[in-house]
Amino acid sequence: MAENTKHVSYADAGVDTAEGARAVDAIKAAVATTSRSEVIGGLGGFGSCFSAAGLKDMEEPILVSGTDGVGTKLAIAQLLDRHETVGEDLVAMCVDDVVPIGAEPLFFLDYVAIGKLRAEHVAKIVGGIAEGCRKSGCALVGGEMAEHPGVMAEGDYDLAGFVVGVVDRPKMIGPDKVREGDVILGLPSSGIHSNGYSLVRKVAIEGKTVEELETPLPELGGESIADAVMRPTTIYAGGLLKALRAGAPIHAMAHITGGGITENLDRAMPEGLDALVYRGGASGPAWDIPPVITYMIDAAQLTLEEAYRTFNMGAGMSVICAAEDKDAVVTALEGAGFAPFVMGEVIAGVPGEKGKVVYDDER
């Protein structure tokens, strides 16, 4: 060993294990509020346990997994020092990816990578994750907080989430059930959700002060840019499962995330069938687009094609059903707390080719 070396503790290197322990204590109460009867034990073990005994009542239980993050929306959260709701975004992006085949989210895990760990800061983030889990009905069973000094700046952090769900195979829904003439219903989004934020930052955030971002704007209906862009992603999973359990005859669903309507609704289409969306051209679509999305489209001077390939355009989830079942499905969705609207229909496509999204103003 060189003579000029000296003792260097883990804390000297930038990692505070005592603060990590404080952070775990700070989140325990929030995590406990998400518990389900299947959860075995609590935080503190090396692995998280969840009983699968209830699955034996299913004819053929299929486990469904998903993972996602929040993306560059976190950069805005850090700029504004608003961390309470990004956890909801994280959960939404995961659970709403597994529900389109009819799966119930069972349990969730998170990964928080942060430059400098502060217990109160992490508690805000994980508190939002717990809120998302409560809204979707899944248990937050564990996670990881990793302090990354020298790799991330002190105020920087990133999030990743992981969900496991289950569906009984005879009750699975998806493209194989979609038929020509089916109706496509949309469920309103709360705004931009968690996609397109690199563009949002470029056209609406960069170069502005926090004071400017928090100033109400008439074009946003009196809301500030900060409030509009930080509104949490809608969590659809809990309500959709309620509708399915009530017997709603839904054929398929599509979570409208990155890539917008154009690159997500087609994932619910089988070969030979296309999704015709009522975009309406100059008259606009047959539903309301949140002002914040219109604001970003105008700020970026996007074409319609670019807009529908970037944002959810006010339809965060699409639900497909037979035309004769539309009223029953709408009633079930309304009973689950949604305000569905007709956004299109299923039409014949090219035989043998994967279905795609087409728009009425382009035909």
Side-chain angles (χ1 to χ4, degrees):
M1 183 178 294
E3 293 182 0
N4 61 348
T5 59
K6 62 179 181 179
H7 171 263
V8 179
S9 69
Y10 208 6
D12 293 330
V15 177
D16 189 341
T17 55
E19 187 68 6
R22 272 208 332 122
V24 171
D25 287 339
I27 66 175
K28 281 184 176 179
V31 172
T33 65
T34 73
S35 188
R36 295 171 46 132
S37 60
E38 301 97 330
V39 176
I40 300 172
L43 294 183
F46 290 105
S48 303
C49 299
F50 190 94
S51 173
L55 306 188
K56 66 184 179 182
D57 296 328
M58 294 185 177
E59 184 176 330
E60 186 179 354
I62 305 294
L63 293 178
V64 186
S65 59
T67 183
D68 210 334
V70 181
T72 57
K73 187 173 184 175
L74 291 178
I76 304 175
Q78 291 159 26
L79 172 67
L80 299 171
D81 194 23
R82 297 189 185 190
H83 313 287
E84 290 83 359
T85 60
V86 291
E88 288 188 54
D89 293 307
L90 181 66
V91 175
M93 300 307 291
C94 294
V95 298
D96 287 341
D97 270 354
V98 301
V99 78
I101 61 172
E104 174 192 2
L106 296 176
F107 58 86
F108 190 87
L109 297 101
D110 62 77
Y111 177 79
V112 182
I114 194 164
K116 180 65 176 177
L117 197 153
R118 290 181 288 114
E120 294 79 7
H121 185 191
V122 171
K124 291 179 181 179
I125 297 170
V126 178
I129 296 172
E131 177 66 14
C133 288
R134 287 192 294 271
K135 287 182 177 180
S136 59
C138 66
L140 178 56
V141 296
E144 171 71 5
M145 291 177 288
E147 199 168 13
H148 288 171
V151 176
M152 305 175 76
E154 284 196 7
D156 287 348
Y157 64 93
D158 198 8
L159 303 177
F162 314 87
V163 67
V164 173
V166 67
V167 62
D168 200 355
R169 189 162 196 156
K171 296 181 180 179
M172 287 177 67
I173 59 176
D176 59 303
K177 297 187 181 300
V178 175
R179 300 290 181 265
E180 184 177 353
D182 280 1
V183 173
I184 304 171
L185 301 171
L187 302 184
S189 68
S190 60
I192 303 174
H193 284 179
S194 298
N195 298 106
Y197 274 83
S198 294
L199 177 64
V200 168
R201 288 168 55 225
K202 185 74 174 177
V203 301
I205 304 296
E206 291 181 2
K208 290 184 174 66
T209 65
V210 172
E211 183 180 7
E212 288 174 317
L213 294 173
E214 293 182 340
T215 301
L217 298 177
E219 52 266 56
L220 291 175
E223 193 172 37
S224 68
I225 292 175
D227 288 342
V229 301
M230 288 307 298
R231 187 178 296 109
T233 304
T234 302
I235 295 177
Y236 300 98
L240 287 170
L241 287 169
K242 180 179 178 180
L244 288 170
R245 288 166 181 158
I250 295 171
H251 287 173
M253 303 180 198
H255 185 198
I256 310 301
T257 57
I261 291 174
T262 303
E263 294 185 1
N264 284 285
L265 185 51
D266 64 332
R267 296 160 71 177
M269 295 296 109
E271 286 187 359
L273 294 178
D274 292 341
L276 174 65
V277 174
Y278 303 152
R279 189 163 64 184
S283 63
W287 65 88
D288 294 328
I289 299 177
V292 63
I293 294 180
T294 302
Y295 180 91
M296 297 304 165
I297 292 171
D298 291 343
Q301 299 182 39
L302 298 181
T303 64
L304 272 181
E305 179 183 356
E306 290 171 329
Y308 278 75
R309 198 179 290 272
T310 304
F311 298 118
N312 62 58
M313 303 305 291
M317 183 75 73
S318 295
V319 175
I320 303 167
C321 66
E324 60 269 25
D325 293 329
K326 186 194 77 170
D327 290 345
V329 172
V330 166
T331 297
L333 292 172
E334 289 176 340
F338 298 118
F341 51 84
V342 176
M343 62 180 294
E345 62 185 284
V346 179
I347 63 173
V350 178
E353 289 190 8
K354 178 69 176 73
K356 60 183 182 297
V357 176
V358 296
Y359 295 98
D360 59 345
D361 59 332
E362 293 181 336
R363 299 182 75 201

